[in-house]
Amino acid sequence: MTQRVELATVRDHLAVDGLVTEYAVAVDDGDWQAWRGLFTPDGRADYRSAGGIEGDAGAVAGWLAESLRGFPVRQHLIVNRRVRFGVWEQDTGDTAEVQADYVSPLGRAGQDGASAEPDLVSGGRCAFAVLRTDDGWRLSGVVVREKWRRAPDRRAAPMIN
């Protein structure tokens, strides 16, 4: 592999990784226009394992906006990202798949708008299908596979150090 090819591969890896980060930030910020802009025109998302819907990115963005309205405090942590390029048949270096684990604490606003303990925490794995377009790397599909969910017990005694 030449240095030029290696550099292009590193740049693509960073761009795809950045796309996944933008996905999480858009959800946390509730910026559904930005979230939708991360997808190809025919991009789809599947949140059925988390009690949601599967459909085109616009419809899913609407569902997310409504579902997360009651949880203004969000912080999606997407970790253990595994990026694989050229995973589709007859690929020319313009596709990638990312598998990444997530932890997602969601909370209602605390008193006076201050942050509060999470009201719901879930975790699982996301599968991102990514396509190089004229506008850069975009998501053609996202599948969320929730593995666990818990609501913290508000009656538990506070931790003492």
Side-chain angles (χ1 to χ4, degrees), residues 81-98:
R81 300 172 194 209
R82 187 176 70 197
V83 178
R84 301 278 192 247
F85 288 97
V87 294
W88 297 337
E89 285 186 33
Q90 300 175 0
D91 180 73
T92 58
D94 293 332
T95 64
E97 284 188 354
V98 180

Side-chain angles (χ1 to χ4, degrees), residues 39-79:
F39 285 82
T40 60
D42 60 347
R44 300 186 68 78
D46 183 348
Y47 277 78
R48 289 178 293 182
S49 74
I53 66 170
E54 187 277 333
D56 68 77
V60 175
W63 174 81
L64 283 168
E66 182 62 32
S67 298
L68 295 176
R69 181 171 290 139
F71 298 103
V73 179
R74 301 180 207 114
Q75 185 177 30
H76 288 75
L77 307 171
I78 300 183
V79 300

Side-chain angles (χ1 to χ4, degrees), residues 72-139:
V73 179
R74 301 180 207 114
Q75 185 177 30
H76 288 75
L77 307 171
I78 300 183
V79 300
N80 300 334
R81 300 172 194 209
R82 187 176 70 197
V83 178
R84 301 278 192 247
F85 288 97
V87 294
W88 297 337
E89 285 186 33
Q90 300 175 0
D91 180 73
T92 58
D94 293 332
T95 64
E97 284 188 354
V98 180
Q99 177 179 294
D101 296 327
Y102 73 89
V103 175
S104 175
L106 303 172
R108 294 176 176 84
Q111 293 182 0
D112 300 325
S115 62
E117 282 186 49
D119 293 296
L120 178 67
V121 181
S122 67
R125 181 163 289 159
C126 294
F128 298 92
V130 186
L131 179 66
R132 185 192 317 265
T133 72
D134 291 340
D135 296 320
W137 290 96
R138 294 291 182 265
L139 300 169

Side-chain angles (χ1 to χ4, degrees), residues 5-23:
V5 171
E6 289 173 356
L7 178 59
T9 301
V10 170
R11 289 179 63 187
D12 285 339
H13 193 284
L14 290 171
V16 168
D17 189 72
L19 183 64
V20 171
T21 297
E22 291 299 322
Y23 176 91

